[in-house]
Amino acid sequence: MTDAQETAADSSLRTTGGAPPDDVEPAPIPLLEPRDGIPPVIADDASLAEVIAAFAAGSGPVAVDAERASGYRYGQRAYLVQLRREGSGTALIDPVGCPDLSGLGEAISGVEWVLHAATQDLPCLREIGMVPTRLFDTELAGRLAGFPRVGLGAMVESVLGFVLEKGHSAVDWSTRPLPEPWLRYAALDVELLVDLRDALEKELDRQGKLEWARQEFDAIAQAEPAPPRKDPWRRTSGMHKVRRRRQMAVVRELWETRDRVAQRRDVSPGKVLGDAAIVEAALALPANVHALAALNGFGHRMGRRQLEQWQAAVDRAKTLPDSQLPQPGQPVTGPPPPRAWADKDPAAAARLSAARAAVSALAEQLTMPQENLITPDTVRRVCWEPPSPDPESVAAALAGYGARPWQVEQVTPVLVAALSATS
């Protein structure tokens, strides 16, 4: 970081109070440019070997980012991986041409990886062999430090005083060749990520939250991959309108048919058939292709073969025996929805109200979002089946639900008070 950037970072992290005089024009914020230009995209094993050697020889943390093609392609695979390290420069790697990046992952495995919103990128990085052992998440750091806006562009601007190019975050990154403006955007995403990390580390240390952040980062790095979601068709948008089991079976059949088609064609499921159309067909239970074509989402520019495919799915659901129809809801593994607490258990509802108010006040005092202080699900579980209202029991309950030591230390006193007041 240059002296000017260091000054901008330090000053932006302090609250100066007051606005500049009306007759003083604010200094324009410079648009960031890649320091080393736009590097060539690495798409063959020989070039990848050179990148691996360069990053193994670099120093300090490694900035890492990945671009997906959400909304365009099936799944969440990476279509571009960006890295930057001191002494190594910036690398743009095409995972289509180089689908196995485990060698690169191993070369930097003991190094701290700096990512922004790490949980979004780690699944697709894991698929291509890149798994960090240590990381620093600049978005999460911003949340813990109390920044009101934690997008990468907003944080680079407020902390480091530079403007990142905008407009390419939602493009189809599976496009080949990738246009130069997109590559510039991608390179800039890792350009100042380590500088941002350094500034945020100083701010977290100033606030006494650096150890909290480290515990959070360790938890992300050590987390097991999420298991496949059970009955993903139940998350169809508009599903709340579908109440009868036969109609639910239609949603399931259409969703699963759409998923197979989308996977085969490697396109986003929403581009094959919209959720609204699935729900429409489930509610209408069309008798034939003609009736199906009259529904919203089916008739417009849809060929006969496609309509027959969807109608076949509807017909399968309509002929299922009752024993094979889906049940109205998923098995509940935790507390019921909070809106039902007052009727089911008024005492638990009172505990939850007191606990929520206490956690909210503490989060405000610590200047961080409530969900980063402690997850709402953890608070609900503690209030639904409360431990004894003493510090040891509450701390043990929180730890049992996965709370980190810093969270247990901060939240235990306010939950003990809340549970005691309502016991």
Side-chain angles (χ1 to χ4, degrees), residues 19 25 65 119 137 145 160 222 243 269 302 326 331 339 355 371 419:
E25 286 286 334
D65 191 25
T119 54
D137 186 333
L160 301 178
Q222 295 166 12
R243 308 207 177 256
M302 188 171 285
R339 62 179 178 275
E371 63 270 19
L419 294 175

Side-chain angles (χ1 to χ4, degrees), residues 148-218:
R149 297 167 62 218
V150 293
L152 180 59
M155 295 201 70
V156 166
E157 184 173 334
S158 64
V159 176
L160 301 178
F162 285 95
V163 174
L164 291 178
E165 288 189 14
K166 301 176 182 178
H168 302 304
S169 60
V171 299
D172 181 2
W173 287 96
S174 68
T175 300
R176 292 296 183 272
L178 286 165
E180 182 175 311
W182 299 11
L183 296 175
R184 179 187 303 276
Y185 167 91
L188 289 174
D189 269 0
V190 292
E191 182 78 15
L192 291 180
L193 208 49
V194 173
D195 298 306
L196 180 61
R197 171 233 179 273
D198 293 344
L200 289 172
E201 182 179 60
K202 289 181 181 178
E203 178 62 10
L204 287 167
D205 191 35
R206 187 187 70 79
Q207 294 185 21
K209 298 175 180 176
L210 184 55
E211 175 56 27
W212 303 358
R214 287 173 175 156
Q215 291 180 26
E216 292 298 302
F217 302 156
D218 287 344

